[in-house]
Amino acid sequence: MSSQHHDNVARQFGEQAEAYLGSAVHAAGVDLKHLAECLAG
């Protein structure tokens, strides 16, 4: 992945990601645990 692509993604989604991490509704829940388990393999 190119540095430019990474920068574009970070610019577009960085603020939203921070908002999700700080949101009580979005930062907790079974779905996030399941996603983490799937990503861990």
Side-chain angles (χ1 to χ4, degrees):
M1 191 176 325
S2 74
S3 178
Q4 181 181 6
H5 176 75
H6 179 269
D7 292 345
N8 288 338
V9 171
R11 200 169 29 256
Q12 183 171 354
F13 296 106
E15 289 182 30
Q16 288 82 358
E18 290 298 322
Y20 274 102
L21 290 173
S23 166
V25 173
H26 295 102
V30 179
D31 57 336
L32 294 179
K33 181 179 178 187
H34 178 71
L35 177 61
E37 290 169 353
C38 288
L39 294 173

